[in-house]
Amino acid sequence: MEMHQSKDNKVIPMTSVSSGKLREVREDVAYYTDQIVNVVFVGTPKHWVLVDAGMPKGGDEILRVAEERFGAGSRPAAIILTHGHFDHVGGIVYLIEQWGVPVYAHPQEFPYLTDGLSYPEPDPTVEGGMLAKISAVYPNEPINIKPVLKPLPEDGTVPGLPEWRTVHVPGHSPGQIALFREKDRTLISADAIITVKQDSMYKVLVQKKQVCGPPVYLTTDWQAAWNSVKRLYALGPEVLVPGHGTAMEGEELTSGLRTLVEDFEDVAIPDYGKFVTSKDKEHS
């Protein structure tokens, strides 16, 4: 079977003030905001890796930004997917066709990346803002990139990025991973920790910064999500590049993470929704 995007793949008409911006957080780490989601470029013109593949139909835009950063005709050593939700794989097939490179993901994401399984449908009934209420329109069906898909190594090493390691951070999706570099404590947190309240249309539009848990309308296991936040907090990151929102560092990051870990039930877990259980809120 040939590779394809999901059958329900479509442009989602959302934007933010950050859309179209490429911002550097380390000499060899920059993130680009594709509408409302970040893709990350790690490396130098001689050797680089792309983390995630943006919004639906966004492949040509990512290709253009990559060539602006690394030079015309440049291609990555690999693409790393933090997980397979629609806003992280939107341009993946186009990019594979252009670059012919392998794609790595956690094996627990494979069913969603090989035409095997749809994600649970987003929950428009969950407590939250307008972007939660309209979440039923978001694609959730699987893509198929089986010919180029490879499992991330179990030992946490990252193909093409020897200084980095993966951290399994389930909750938002079963096989979600973050990426961490010890030497400068740089964390690419995927959607395990984000820096904008992703269900609020206004806060997404203006990119109002705050350390948040994962998007409420697509997070299916809140206890796992909380444990994932604790795991990332324990790494002591000094710079965080989230899946959604603006990069954060210093005391703003440290204090925000501490509050998120300590008050997760109150500030991250919604009061109601089809993925919220009584156990999730029993200490509130």
Side-chain angles (χ1 to χ4, degrees), residues 116-147:
L117 196 64
S118 294
Y119 284 106
E121 292 183 3
D123 180 13
T125 70
V126 71
E127 180 195 18
M130 182 59 69
L131 296 189
K133 303 305 180 211
I134 66 169
S135 62
V137 306
Y138 305 154
N140 71 300
E141 293 186 21
I143 65 171
N144 184 38
I145 54 169
K146 189 172 184 178

Side-chain angles (χ1 to χ4, degrees), residues 13 59 76 87 112 145 189 209 218 221 226 246:
D87 50 345
Y112 314 107
I145 54 169
S189 62
K209 286 173 73 173
L218 276 173
D221 185 334
W226 194 355
T246 307

